[in-house]
């Protein structure tokens, strides 16, 4: 219930931001938790590092004692007017320091065996290197002397001190590192040594003195001596680092919101020393190799060093495997730590350790970041080792990340700088010779030359160039431009809208700044990030590892929905099978019409003046289409193949009017020239060799030219007659099929004859005929009439029964509203969410993408691009109504989706939640969809985001 009077309720700020004052002393908030007391799951409160230190302490790992000051303390501190620690924080800190003293038997600031601590940052999200840590805090003249006396190790004492002064100076007092480095180098030069281990205790003492002087000179104050003053300053400095520029930039860059991480905690940890001699060391490890996933401890260590030395690169660390030889006892302990961590967290861990005089301490652990390939491998292997259940192994891998493995990508080792950057329009990387038109691409492609088709933008008539090219690069257009959509459909890399590139098709060159790319120059594109390079950058192939194959098999066993592919040719279908598609959800027959050897026949069909003429041409198309379908059925057997009858307006198959007019003008020129030659030949006959003049005469065949002109003029007339104001809403799809029944009838016949052919050959087939753009049941009934007539003829002719399902695309809003009626005729629905999204928003896709969608996204009017991420609230609502109503009249109605959304993980999850039977997407996305479908079944609707 909503309230109309805000005065009766506290405003949100009064409940959130001033808890201490509001609650009073009795219920004062607890700011500090000892490791043994903190809740290991509460990363928001304790930060990731703190929560895991608590957790590790609880499960009995050897963690030095310590405590966490909460992120709430940090926020209260940052909110306070003069950045004051909230009341009570330092009291609690003193209390827990006393407890630390008790546990270690040492005394903070003590003159005998002094306690030193580290003061470490750590928020809920890991932000490596963004915030600060101070080591060896608690040192001053007195405690230093005590430390040296107690350890009997002068060198160690002075080393610890100079580190502390530098870290504290830098982090807490803002003294630039360079000032310290200057002094450090001066002493090294004086001593004649290159690395710090070569420094003598006296050198190190000298460095400490110089550092104190640096601080004094820079801050105009003495270095603070009192350990508690040091501690308080350090805590504040760590809290402040949350609002440091580095940290703010990092959060912006990686999209870390306050809901994900709000403030940093401070961890105060008793120091342990890896720099106490050759029985001491420090290092970092991964429980498994994060680059490959291999089940082997992986990492680096340094003997006689302190934590930050490993990352700082002062000395080159050794691979952890070497420890087995160098410190066998410690290595065994490390392996034991590794397996305890994995068994507890059931996840690959990235951890820090320190060995102090033969005792191993764990100082930090967190989930290891891995690439997709190692995520997949570790999932499968951790399942086999009994660490993960099947469901866990499946859900551990983010479907979207599989993209990394499934498309060729640039060798991660490459160092090339991109020449230009465009939009990442279709994932994958490819190299080849730049070619500026589709014909040339095709000609070279046929010779086996690798080419990249470079265009200002592409048109449907460039399609043969797409087939021949390794990838497509355009200087104009967005992620839904023709180039992008077609490339994604084919699974070819595409960089679109690389505006820094100026393409001059006539000159066959492209200009990028002051550089020129000539035809034949090799370029490399990376469609995953939009980068364009000159020359060949090595690529690594899609990675269908045995682990991935197994993981996807498990996914198939768990997923309720099936996954099909959109595939238009037998080759596409074969590829889809390799990616694990179980059926074809969309075969667009127009792609078959567009092939270069067929287009002339299709044009004849369109130009035909009478139905008889048209039928005659269509008879030539029939065997070609039949052969296509036989290829598709055989490739996909025994799974279903859904064939969509012709959808686009037919004038799309004709050249443009401008093109035709130019051609005709040029032909007229040619004719005039030919005429001149005719005259020339006549005159020449009187003086020249007869054979020579005959050859020239042949060139000047005006009759042949006239014939071409006549035909072009006929095509032009037709193109004018077919011109539409709004072709996408015009004479297309089923409207066309009803106007020209002979076209659909031919297609239906080709499907059925192909199926009959397969049945006779013992191949299991399940053809499904699908009608596009339907908005009323009446349209469907008419087309079903064609099917009924042809089916009985074909069955009679072939002497076999031909199974065939009949269904409809649902891509028109009215079709959703009339789903109940449509389902009386249709046996299945397939949501064409590309068109349905356009229709629901009344956005034309190309215009939306190129003109206003980016602005809408930026201003938060729309969260996502609805052409990429299914608009669950609008389009999704229509879909769920259509499913519900359709199944009213036909409970076993099969429903799928074949828009581009069918390959998008969150859209797939939504499809599952409204009861779809399958999703269909382009072949390379099939594995992503298989995994996403399994996630949907396992996780149910818990993750469905309806707030688009
Ligand atoms: P970061 O978040 O940058 O990793 P850490 O707080 O983990 O910073 O500390 C930096 C380095 O200091 C790490 O190598 C860590 O292991 C080491 N370190 C931190 N606390 C201690 C401690 N109490 N004793 C010994 N080494 C420590
Ligand atoms: Mg760390
Ligand atoms: Mg459509």
């Amino acid at each position: 219930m909503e309230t109309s009077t805000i005065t009766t309720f506290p405003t949100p700020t009064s409940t959130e931001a001033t808890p201490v004052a509001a609650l009073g002393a009795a219920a004062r908030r607890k700011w500090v938790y000892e490791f043994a007391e903190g809740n290991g799951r509460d990363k928001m409160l304790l930060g990731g590092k703190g929560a895991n230190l608590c957790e590790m302490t609880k499960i009995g790992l050897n963690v030095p004692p310590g405590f966490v000051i909460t992120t709430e303390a940090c926020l209260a501190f940052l909110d306070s007017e003069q950045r004051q620690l909230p009341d009570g924080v330092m009291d609690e800190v003193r209390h827990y320091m006393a407890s630390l003293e008790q546990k270690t038997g040492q005394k903070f600031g003590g003159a005998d065996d002094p306690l030193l601590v580290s003061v470490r940052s750590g928020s809920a999200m890991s932000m490596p290197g963004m915030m600060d840590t101070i080591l060896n805090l608690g040192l001053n003249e007195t405690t230093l002397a005590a430390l040296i006396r107690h350890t009997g190790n002068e060198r160690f004492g002075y080393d610890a001190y100079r580190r502390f002064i530098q870290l504290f100076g830098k982090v807490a007092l803002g003294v630039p590192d360079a000032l310290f480095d200057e002094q450090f180098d001066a002493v090294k030069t004086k001593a004649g040594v290159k690395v710090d281990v070569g420094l003598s205790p006296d050198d190190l003492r000298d460095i400490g003195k110089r550092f104190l002087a640096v601080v004094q000179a820079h801050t105009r104050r003495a270095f603070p001596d009192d350990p508690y003053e040091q501690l308080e300053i350090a805590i504040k400095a760590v809290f402040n680092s949350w609002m440091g520029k580095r940290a703010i930039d990092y959060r912006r860059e990686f999209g870390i919101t306050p809901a994900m991480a709000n403030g940093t905690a401070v961890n105060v940890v008793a120091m342990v020393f890896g720099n106490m001699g050759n029985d001491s060391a420090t290092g970092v490890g991964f429980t498994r190799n994060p680059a490959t996933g291999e089940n082997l401890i992986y990492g680096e260590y340094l003997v006689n060093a302190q934590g930050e030395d490993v990352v700082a690169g002062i000395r080159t660390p050794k691979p952890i495997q070497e420890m087995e030889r160098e410190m066998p006892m410690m290595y065994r302990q490390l392996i034991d730590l590794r397996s305890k961590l994995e068994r507890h967290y059931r996840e690959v861990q990235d951890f820090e350790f320190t060995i102090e005089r033969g005792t191993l301490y764990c100082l930090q652990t967190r989930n290891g970041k891995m690439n997709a390939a190692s995520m997949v491998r570790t999932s499968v292997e951790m399942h086999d080792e009994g660490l993960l259940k099947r469901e866990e192994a499946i859900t551990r891998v983010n479907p979207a990340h599989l993209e990394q493995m499934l498309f060729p990508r640039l060798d991660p080792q490459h160092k090339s700088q991109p020449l230009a950057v465009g939009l990442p329009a279709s994932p994958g990387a490819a190299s080849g010779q730049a070619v500026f038109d589709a014909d040339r691409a095709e000609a070279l492609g046929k010779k086996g030359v690798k080419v990249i088709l470079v265009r200002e933008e592409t048109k449907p008539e460039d399609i043969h160039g797409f087939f021949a090219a390794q990838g497509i690069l355009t200087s104009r257009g967005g992620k839904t431009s023709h180039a992008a959509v077609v490339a994604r459909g084919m699974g070819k890399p595409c960089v679109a809208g690389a505006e820094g590139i100026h393409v001059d098709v006539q000159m066959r060159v492209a200009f990028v700044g002051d550089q020129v790319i000539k035809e034949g120059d090799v370029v490399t594109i990376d469609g995953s990030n939009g980068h364009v390079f000159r020359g060949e950058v090595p690529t690594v192939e899609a990675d269908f590892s045995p682990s991935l194959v197994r993981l996807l098999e498990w996914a198939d066993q768990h997923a309720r929905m099936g996954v099909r592919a959109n595939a238009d040719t037998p080759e596409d279908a074969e590829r889809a099978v390799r990616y694990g598609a179980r059926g074809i959800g969309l075969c667009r027959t127009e792609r078959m019409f567009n092939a270069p050897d067929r287009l002339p026949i299709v044009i004849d069909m369109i130009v035909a003046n009478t139905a008889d003429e048209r039928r005659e041409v269509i008879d030539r198309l029939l065997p070609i289409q039949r052969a296509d379908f036989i290829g598709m059925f055989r490739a996909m057997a025994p799974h279903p193949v859904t064939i969509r009858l012709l959808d686009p307006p037919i004038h799309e198959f004709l050249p443009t009017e401008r093109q035709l007019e130019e051609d005709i003008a040029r032909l007229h020129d040619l004719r005039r020239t030919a005429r001149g030659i005719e005259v020339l030949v006549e005159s020449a006959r009187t003086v020249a060799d007869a054979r020579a003049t005959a050859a020239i005469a042949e060139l000047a065949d005006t009759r042949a030219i006239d014939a071409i002109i006549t035909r072009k003029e006929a095509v032009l007339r037709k193109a004018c007659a077919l011109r539409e104001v709004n072709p996408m809403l015009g004479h297309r799809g089923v409207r066309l099929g009803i106007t020209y029944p002979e076209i659909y009838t031919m297609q239906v016949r080709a499907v059925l004859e192909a199926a009959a052919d397969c049945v006779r050959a013992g191949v299991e087939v399940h053809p499904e005929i699908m009608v596009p753009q339907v908005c009323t049941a009446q349209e469907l009934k008419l087309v079903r009439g064609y099917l009924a007539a042809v089916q009985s003829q074909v069955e009679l002719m072939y002497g076999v029964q031909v199974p065939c399902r009949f269904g409809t695309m649902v891509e028109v809003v009215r079709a959703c509203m009339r789903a109940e009626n449509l389902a009386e005729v249709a046996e299945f629905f397939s949501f064409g969410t590309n068109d349905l999204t356009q229709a629901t928003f009344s956005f034309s896709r190309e215009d939306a993408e190129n003109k206003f969608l980016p602005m809408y996204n930026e201003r938060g009017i729309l969260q996502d691009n609805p052409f990429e991420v299914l608009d669950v609230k609008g389009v999704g609502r229509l879909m769920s109504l259509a499913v519900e109503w359709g199944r009213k009249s036909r409970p076993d109605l099969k429903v799928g989706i074949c828009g581009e959304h069918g390959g998008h993980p969150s859209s797939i999850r939504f499809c599952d939640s409204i009861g779809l039977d399958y999703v269909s997407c382009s072949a390379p996305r099939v594995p992503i969809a298989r995994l996403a479908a399994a996630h949907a079944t396992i996780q149910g609707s818990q993750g469905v985001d309806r707030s688009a």
Side-chain angles (χ1 to χ4, degrees), residues 448-459:
V449 179
K450 292 191 166 174
V451 300
I452 303 288
L453 179 63
V454 184
R455 303 281 292 166
E456 200 156 47
E457 56 194 351
T458 61
K459 291 254 156 54

Side-chain angles (χ1 to χ4, degrees), residues 644 647 732 773 809 811 835:
R644 181 178 72 183
D647 181 36
R732 63 178 290 204
Q773 301 292 332
M809 292 281 287
E811 54 188 336
D835 277 347

